[in-house]
Amino acid sequence: MAKPNVVSKQELLAAAQHCLAEHGIEKTTLKAVAEQAGVSQGTVFYHFRTKEQLMIELVQSLCDDSWQSLQQECGGSVEQALQAAKERCGYDSAYHRLFFLSLAASLSHPPNRHRLGEMIRQENRHLAGMLENRWTSSPIAGISLEHWGIMLNALIDGLAVQALVDEQFPKEAVFDALRRLFDSLANGRNG
């Protein structure tokens, strides 16, 4: 029997995450989420008009949780951000599959495209803030910390794409090289 229509958006997102883990993105439907949450399909539709909207909300929730956890656990260091990115990076990464599928679906839907763009800008700002805590100013004249944040985010997302399509992606070596690059930039400024 279905629960009464007193279910939070967070509970539905948790049900969607469970569906994704069990059935994959392709088989995660609004109906499957409703069944997982024990509510009517109309309840899910009330909160999320489309699967794409549900996926974007889920990506937003995962991003927010990730940044919040990163800030609480370590004060938001670049090293910890790279470690978290490395842990999410992989051939079977549900997080990145969800993110890139949402990205592709959002390109033809302006409100979702705008929302995803804001999420990426927020990540850029978080990363720029982490870099500012580490460097205080840019290690290379003419490159702002804001632009460093954008470039680091693009590097991390690009590595995620490569890992999604290449089972042999050398994740450990590449993330070690990225960490060494940032160490070198920091030390070059100071030494």
Side-chain angles (χ1 to χ4, degrees), residues 99-145:
F99 178 80
F100 291 117
L101 285 170
S102 293
L103 174 68
S106 295
L107 292 177
S108 60
H109 189 261
N112 289 354
R113 185 176 185 176
H114 174 76
R115 178 128 186 236
L116 202 51
E118 183 50 42
M119 282 191 283
I120 291 170
R121 283 188 296 279
Q122 182 178 6
E123 286 185 350
N124 294 342
R125 288 188 297 270
H126 281 301
L127 289 167
M130 289 177 178
L131 291 169
E132 183 177 9
N133 289 338
R134 179 170 181 150
W135 293 339
T136 63
S137 64
S138 178
I140 299 176
I143 302 177
S144 70
L145 290 173

Short mmCIF file of all heavy atoms in Angstrom, two decimals, residues 99-145:
data_model
loop_
_atom_site.label_atom_id
_atom_site.label_comp_id
_atom_site.label_asym_id
_atom_site.label_seq_id
_atom_site.Cartn_x
_atom_site.Cartn_y
_atom_site.Cartn_z
N PHE A 99 25.66 12.81 -13.83
CA PHE A 99 25.98 14.20 -14.12
C PHE A 99 26.02 14.45 -15.63
O PHE A 99 25.39 15.38 -16.12
CB PHE A 99 27.33 14.57 -13.50
CG PHE A 99 27.75 15.98 -13.81
CD1 PHE A 99 27.21 17.05 -13.10
CD2 PHE A 99 28.65 16.25 -14.82
CE1 PHE A 99 27.57 18.36 -13.39
CE2 PHE A 99 29.02 17.55 -15.12
CZ PHE A 99 28.47 18.61 -14.41
N PHE A 100 26.72 13.62 -16.38
CA PHE A 100 26.86 13.86 -17.81
C PHE A 100 25.59 13.56 -18.58
O PHE A 100 25.30 14.24 -19.58
CB PHE A 100 28.08 13.11 -18.38
CG PHE A 100 29.38 13.69 -17.89
CD1 PHE A 100 30.24 12.93 -17.12
CD2 PHE A 100 29.73 15.00 -18.16
CE1 PHE A 100 31.43 13.47 -16.65
CE2 PHE A 100 30.92 15.55 -17.70
CZ PHE A 100 31.77 14.78 -16.94
N LEU A 101 24.80 12.58 -18.15
CA LEU A 101 23.50 12.36 -18.78
C LEU A 101 22.57 13.54 -18.52
O LEU A 101 21.85 13.97 -19.42
CB LEU A 101 22.86 11.06 -18.29
CG LEU A 101 23.47 9.78 -18.85
CD1 LEU A 101 22.91 8.57 -18.11
CD2 LEU A 101 23.20 9.66 -20.33
N SER A 102 22.62 14.08 -17.30
CA SER A 102 21.82 15.26 -16.98
C SER A 102 22.28 16.45 -17.81
O SER A 102 21.46 17.23 -18.30
CB SER A 102 21.91 15.60 -15.50
OG SER A 102 21.32 14.60 -14.74
N LEU A 103 23.57 16.58 -17.96
CA LEU A 103 24.13 17.66 -18.77
C LEU A 103 23.62 17.56 -20.20
O LEU A 103 23.10 18.53 -20.76
CB LEU A 103 25.65 17.61 -18.74
CG LEU A 103 26.37 18.60 -19.66
CD1 LEU A 103 26.17 20.02 -19.17
CD2 LEU A 103 27.84 18.27 -19.73
N ALA A 104 23.72 16.39 -20.79
CA ALA A 104 23.29 16.21 -22.18
C ALA A 104 21.79 16.48 -22.33
O ALA A 104 21.37 17.18 -23.26
CB ALA A 104 23.62 14.80 -22.66
N ALA A 105 20.99 15.97 -21.40
CA ALA A 105 19.54 16.17 -21.47
C ALA A 105 19.17 17.64 -21.25
O ALA A 105 18.19 18.12 -21.80
CB ALA A 105 18.84 15.29 -20.44
N SER A 106 19.97 18.34 -20.48
CA SER A 106 19.66 19.74 -20.15
C SER A 106 19.96 20.72 -21.27
O SER A 106 19.42 21.82 -21.28
CB SER A 106 20.46 20.16 -18.91
OG SER A 106 20.04 19.41 -17.81
N LEU A 107 20.80 20.34 -22.19
CA LEU A 107 21.19 21.28 -23.24
C LEU A 107 20.02 21.74 -24.09
O LEU A 107 20.03 22.85 -24.61
CB LEU A 107 22.28 20.66 -24.12
CG LEU A 107 23.63 20.45 -23.43
CD1 LEU A 107 24.61 19.76 -24.36
CD2 LEU A 107 24.19 21.75 -22.89
N SER A 108 18.99 20.91 -24.19
CA SER A 108 17.83 21.30 -24.99
C SER A 108 16.66 21.81 -24.14
O SER A 108 15.58 22.04 -24.66
CB SER A 108 17.37 20.12 -25.85
OG SER A 108 17.00 19.04 -25.03
N HIS A 109 16.89 21.98 -22.85
CA HIS A 109 15.84 22.47 -21.96
C HIS A 109 16.41 23.64 -21.17
O HIS A 109 17.10 23.44 -20.17
CB HIS A 109 15.40 21.33 -21.03
CG HIS A 109 14.19 21.66 -20.23
ND1 HIS A 109 14.27 22.08 -18.91
CD2 HIS A 109 12.87 21.65 -20.55
CE1 HIS A 109 13.06 22.30 -18.46
NE2 HIS A 109 12.19 22.06 -19.42
N PRO A 110 16.13 24.89 -21.62
CA PRO A 110 16.77 26.07 -21.02
C PRO A 110 16.73 26.18 -19.49
O PRO A 110 17.76 26.48 -18.89
CB PRO A 110 16.05 27.25 -21.69
CG PRO A 110 15.65 26.69 -23.03
CD PRO A 110 15.27 25.26 -22.75
N PRO A 111 15.60 25.90 -18.81
CA PRO A 111 15.64 26.02 -17.34
C PRO A 111 16.62 25.03 -16.69
O PRO A 111 17.35 25.38 -15.77
CB PRO A 111 14.20 25.72 -16.92
CG PRO A 111 13.37 26.01 -18.12
CD PRO A 111 14.24 25.65 -19.30
N ASN A 112 16.64 23.79 -17.19
CA ASN A 112 17.57 22.80 -16.64
C ASN A 112 19.01 23.16 -17.00
O ASN A 112 19.92 22.97 -16.20
CB ASN A 112 17.23 21.41 -17.15
CG ASN A 112 15.96 20.86 -16.53
OD1 ASN A 112 15.37 21.47 -15.65
ND2 ASN A 112 15.52 19.73 -17.02
N ARG A 113 19.20 23.66 -18.21
CA ARG A 113 20.54 24.07 -18.64
C ARG A 113 21.07 25.18 -17.74
O ARG A 113 22.22 25.16 -17.30
CB ARG A 113 20.48 24.54 -20.09
CG ARG A 113 21.81 24.86 -20.69
CD ARG A 113 21.64 25.23 -22.15
NE ARG A 113 22.93 25.44 -22.77
CZ ARG A 113 23.10 25.68 -24.04
NH1 ARG A 113 22.04 25.74 -24.85
NH2 ARG A 113 24.28 25.88 -24.54
N HIS A 114 20.20 26.14 -17.43
CA HIS A 114 20.58 27.24 -16.54
C HIS A 114 20.93 26.71 -15.15
O HIS A 114 21.93 27.12 -14.54
CB HIS A 114 19.45 28.27 -16.46
CG HIS A 114 19.70 29.35 -15.47
ND1 HIS A 114 20.58 30.39 -15.71
CD2 HIS A 114 19.23 29.54 -14.21
CE1 HIS A 114 20.63 31.17 -14.65
NE2 HIS A 114 19.82 30.69 -13.74
N ARG A 115 20.13 25.80 -14.65
CA ARG A 115 20.37 25.24 -13.30
C ARG A 115 21.68 24.48 -13.24
O ARG A 115 22.45 24.62 -12.28
CB ARG A 115 19.21 24.32 -12.94
CG ARG A 115 19.37 23.67 -11.61
CD ARG A 115 18.16 23.88 -10.77
NE ARG A 115 18.40 23.35 -9.45
CZ ARG A 115 17.63 22.46 -8.89
NH1 ARG A 115 16.55 22.04 -9.49
NH2 ARG A 115 17.90 22.02 -7.69
N LEU A 116 21.96 23.69 -14.25
CA LEU A 116 23.21 22.95 -14.28
C LEU A 116 24.39 23.91 -14.42
O LEU A 116 25.43 23.71 -13.78
CB LEU A 116 23.19 21.95 -15.45
CG LEU A 116 24.11 20.76 -15.37
CD1 LEU A 116 23.98 20.01 -14.05
CD2 LEU A 116 23.85 19.83 -16.52
N GLY A 117 24.22 24.96 -15.20
CA GLY A 117 25.26 25.98 -15.31
C GLY A 117 25.56 26.63 -13.97
O GLY A 117 26.73 26.87 -13.63
N GLU A 118 24.52 26.90 -13.19
CA GLU A 118 24.72 27.48 -11.86
C GLU A 118 25.45 26.52 -10.93
O GLU A 118 26.31 26.92 -10.15
CB GLU A 118 23.39 27.92 -11.25
CG GLU A 118 23.52 28.60 -9.90
CD GLU A 118 24.55 29.72 -9.83
OE1 GLU A 118 24.63 30.54 -10.78
OE2 GLU A 118 25.30 29.79 -8.83
N MET A 119 25.14 25.22 -11.04
CA MET A 119 25.85 24.23 -10.22
C MET A 119 27.34 24.23 -10.55
O MET A 119 28.18 24.17 -9.65
CB MET A 119 25.27 22.83 -10.44
CG MET A 119 23.98 22.59 -9.71
SD MET A 119 23.47 20.85 -9.72
CE MET A 119 22.84 20.68 -11.37
N ILE A 120 27.65 24.30 -11.83
CA ILE A 120 29.06 24.30 -12.25
C ILE A 120 29.75 25.58 -11.79
O ILE A 120 30.88 25.54 -11.29
CB ILE A 120 29.17 24.10 -13.78
CG1 ILE A 120 28.75 22.67 -14.14
CG2 ILE A 120 30.59 24.39 -14.26
CD1 ILE A 120 28.59 22.41 -15.61
N ARG A 121 29.07 26.72 -11.91
CA ARG A 121 29.65 27.98 -11.41
C ARG A 121 29.89 27.91 -9.90
O ARG A 121 30.91 28.40 -9.41
CB ARG A 121 28.75 29.17 -11.75
CG ARG A 121 28.85 29.59 -13.22
CD ARG A 121 28.11 30.89 -13.50
NE ARG A 121 26.67 30.80 -13.29
CZ ARG A 121 25.81 30.28 -14.17
NH1 ARG A 121 26.24 29.84 -15.34
NH2 ARG A 121 24.53 30.24 -13.90
N GLN A 122 28.99 27.29 -9.17
CA GLN A 122 29.15 27.13 -7.73
C GLN A 122 30.38 26.27 -7.43
O GLN A 122 31.18 26.59 -6.55
CB GLN A 122 27.90 26.52 -7.12
CG GLN A 122 27.95 26.37 -5.62
CD GLN A 122 26.67 25.79 -5.05
OE1 GLN A 122 25.76 25.40 -5.77
NE2 GLN A 122 26.61 25.72 -3.74
N GLU A 123 30.56 25.18 -8.17
CA GLU A 123 31.75 24.35 -8.00
C GLU A 123 33.01 25.15 -8.30
O GLU A 123 34.01 25.05 -7.58
CB GLU A 123 31.70 23.12 -8.91
CG GLU A 123 30.73 22.07 -8.45
CD GLU A 123 30.78 20.82 -9.32
OE1 GLU A 123 31.43 20.83 -10.39
OE2 GLU A 123 30.17 19.83 -8.91
N ASN A 124 32.98 25.94 -9.37
CA ASN A 124 34.13 26.78 -9.72
C ASN A 124 34.49 27.71 -8.56
O ASN A 124 35.67 27.88 -8.23
CB ASN A 124 33.85 27.62 -10.97
CG ASN A 124 33.67 26.78 -12.22
OD1 ASN A 124 34.06 25.62 -12.29
ND2 ASN A 124 33.07 27.38 -13.23
N ARG A 125 33.47 28.32 -7.95
CA ARG A 125 33.70 29.23 -6.82
C ARG A 125 34.29 28.49 -5.63
O ARG A 125 35.20 28.98 -4.96
CB ARG A 125 32.41 29.96 -6.43
CG ARG A 125 31.98 31.01 -7.45
CD ARG A 125 30.81 31.85 -6.96
NE ARG A 125 29.59 31.10 -6.73
CZ ARG A 125 28.64 30.90 -7.65
NH1 ARG A 125 28.78 31.40 -8.87
NH2 ARG A 125 27.56 30.20 -7.37
N HIS A 126 33.75 27.30 -5.33
CA HIS A 126 34.29 26.50 -4.22
C HIS A 126 35.78 26.21 -4.46
O HIS A 126 36.60 26.35 -3.55
CB HIS A 126 33.54 25.18 -4.08
CG HIS A 126 32.22 25.27 -3.39
ND1 HIS A 126 32.07 25.75 -2.11
CD2 HIS A 126 30.98 24.93 -3.81
CE1 HIS A 126 30.80 25.70 -1.76
NE2 HIS A 126 30.11 25.21 -2.78
N LEU A 127 36.09 25.77 -5.66
CA LEU A 127 37.48 25.43 -5.97
C LEU A 127 38.38 26.66 -5.92
O LEU A 127 39.50 26.59 -5.40
CB LEU A 127 37.56 24.74 -7.34
CG LEU A 127 36.98 23.33 -7.36
CD1 LEU A 127 36.81 22.83 -8.79
CD2 LEU A 127 37.84 22.36 -6.55
N ALA A 128 37.90 27.79 -6.44
CA ALA A 128 38.69 29.02 -6.37
C ALA A 128 38.96 29.40 -4.92
O ALA A 128 40.07 29.82 -4.57
CB ALA A 128 37.98 30.16 -7.11
N GLY A 129 37.96 29.23 -4.05
CA GLY A 129 38.14 29.52 -2.63
C GLY A 129 39.17 28.61 -1.99
O GLY A 129 39.99 29.05 -1.16
N MET A 130 39.16 27.33 -2.36
CA MET A 130 40.16 26.39 -1.84
C MET A 130 41.56 26.78 -2.30
O MET A 130 42.51 26.71 -1.53
CB MET A 130 39.83 24.97 -2.30
CG MET A 130 38.63 24.37 -1.67
SD MET A 130 38.32 22.75 -2.39
CE MET A 130 36.91 22.26 -1.41
N LEU A 131 41.65 27.17 -3.56
CA LEU A 131 42.96 27.58 -4.08
C LEU A 131 43.44 28.85 -3.39
O LEU A 131 44.63 28.99 -3.10
CB LEU A 131 42.88 27.76 -5.60
CG LEU A 131 42.70 26.47 -6.39
CD1 LEU A 131 42.37 26.77 -7.84
CD2 LEU A 131 43.94 25.58 -6.28
N GLU A 132 42.51 29.75 -3.12
CA GLU A 132 42.87 30.99 -2.43
C GLU A 132 43.40 30.69 -1.03
O GLU A 132 44.37 31.30 -0.58
CB GLU A 132 41.68 31.94 -2.35
CG GLU A 132 42.01 33.26 -1.70
CD GLU A 132 40.84 34.23 -1.70
OE1 GLU A 132 39.72 33.82 -2.05
OE2 GLU A 132 41.08 35.39 -1.34
N ASN A 133 42.80 29.72 -0.35
CA ASN A 133 43.28 29.32 0.98
C ASN A 133 44.69 28.74 0.91
O ASN A 133 45.48 28.88 1.84
CB ASN A 133 42.35 28.29 1.62
CG ASN A 133 41.03 28.89 2.04
OD1 ASN A 133 40.92 30.09 2.25
ND2 ASN A 133 40.01 28.04 2.15
N ARG A 134 44.99 28.10 -0.20
CA ARG A 134 46.31 27.48 -0.34
C ARG A 134 47.34 28.47 -0.85
O ARG A 134 48.48 28.48 -0.41
CB ARG A 134 46.19 26.30 -1.29
CG ARG A 134 47.53 25.65 -1.50
CD ARG A 134 47.44 24.37 -2.21
NE ARG A 134 48.80 23.86 -2.31
CZ ARG A 134 49.09 22.63 -2.35
NH1 ARG A 134 48.15 21.74 -2.27
NH2 ARG A 134 50.33 22.24 -2.48
N TRP A 135 46.97 29.29 -1.83
CA TRP A 135 47.95 30.15 -2.49
C TRP A 135 47.88 31.62 -2.06
O TRP A 135 48.82 32.33 -2.26
CB TRP A 135 47.74 30.11 -4.01
CG TRP A 135 48.04 28.82 -4.68
CD1 TRP A 135 48.81 27.80 -4.22
CD2 TRP A 135 47.57 28.40 -5.97
NE1 TRP A 135 48.86 26.78 -5.13
CE2 TRP A 135 48.10 27.13 -6.22
CE3 TRP A 135 46.75 28.99 -6.92
CZ2 TRP A 135 47.85 26.43 -7.39
CZ3 TRP A 135 46.50 28.29 -8.09
CH2 TRP A 135 47.04 27.03 -8.32
N THR A 136 46.80 32.09 -1.60
CA THR A 136 46.49 33.50 -1.31
C THR A 136 46.44 34.37 -2.56
O THR A 136 45.65 35.29 -2.63
CB THR A 136 47.42 34.15 -0.25
OG1 THR A 136 48.75 34.17 -0.71
CG2 THR A 136 47.31 33.43 1.09
N SER A 137 47.29 34.11 -3.53
CA SER A 137 47.21 34.80 -4.82
C SER A 137 47.69 33.82 -5.89
O SER A 137 48.35 32.83 -5.59
CB SER A 137 48.05 36.08 -4.84
OG SER A 137 49.42 35.77 -4.69
N SER A 138 47.38 34.12 -7.12
CA SER A 138 47.71 33.22 -8.23
C SER A 138 49.22 33.03 -8.37
O SER A 138 49.98 33.98 -8.29
CB SER A 138 47.15 33.79 -9.54
OG SER A 138 47.51 32.95 -10.61
N PRO A 139 49.64 31.80 -8.61
CA PRO A 139 51.07 31.54 -8.80
C PRO A 139 51.59 32.01 -10.17
O PRO A 139 52.79 32.05 -10.39
CB PRO A 139 51.19 30.03 -8.66
CG PRO A 139 49.85 29.51 -9.03
CD PRO A 139 48.88 30.56 -8.60
N ILE A 140 50.68 32.36 -11.06
CA ILE A 140 51.06 32.83 -12.39
C ILE A 140 50.36 34.17 -12.63
O ILE A 140 49.14 34.25 -12.60
CB ILE A 140 50.70 31.82 -13.49
CG1 ILE A 140 51.43 30.49 -13.26
CG2 ILE A 140 51.01 32.39 -14.88
CD1 ILE A 140 51.07 29.39 -14.23
N ALA A 141 51.16 35.19 -12.87
CA ALA A 141 50.62 36.53 -13.11
C ALA A 141 49.66 36.50 -14.29
O ALA A 141 49.93 35.86 -15.31
CB ALA A 141 51.75 37.52 -13.37
N GLY A 142 48.53 37.18 -14.12
CA GLY A 142 47.56 37.27 -15.21
C GLY A 142 46.51 36.18 -15.20
O GLY A 142 45.57 36.22 -16.00
N ILE A 143 46.65 35.18 -14.34
CA ILE A 143 45.63 34.13 -14.21
C ILE A 143 44.99 34.28 -12.84
O ILE A 143 45.64 34.06 -11.82
CB ILE A 143 46.23 32.71 -14.38
CG1 ILE A 143 46.92 32.57 -15.73
CG2 ILE A 143 45.11 31.67 -14.23
CD1 ILE A 143 47.60 31.22 -15.94
N SER A 144 43.73 34.68 -12.83
CA SER A 144 43.05 34.91 -11.56
C SER A 144 42.74 33.59 -10.86
O SER A 144 42.67 32.53 -11.50
CB SER A 144 41.75 35.68 -11.80
OG SER A 144 40.81 34.86 -12.47
N LEU A 145 42.51 33.66 -9.56
CA LEU A 145 42.10 32.47 -8.82
C LEU A 145 40.75 31.97 -9.32
O LEU A 145 40.50 30.75 -9.34
CB LEU A 145 42.07 32.76 -7.32
CG LEU A 145 43.45 32.96 -6.70
CD1 LEU A 145 43.32 33.41 -5.25
CD2 LEU A 145 44.29 31.69 -6.79
#
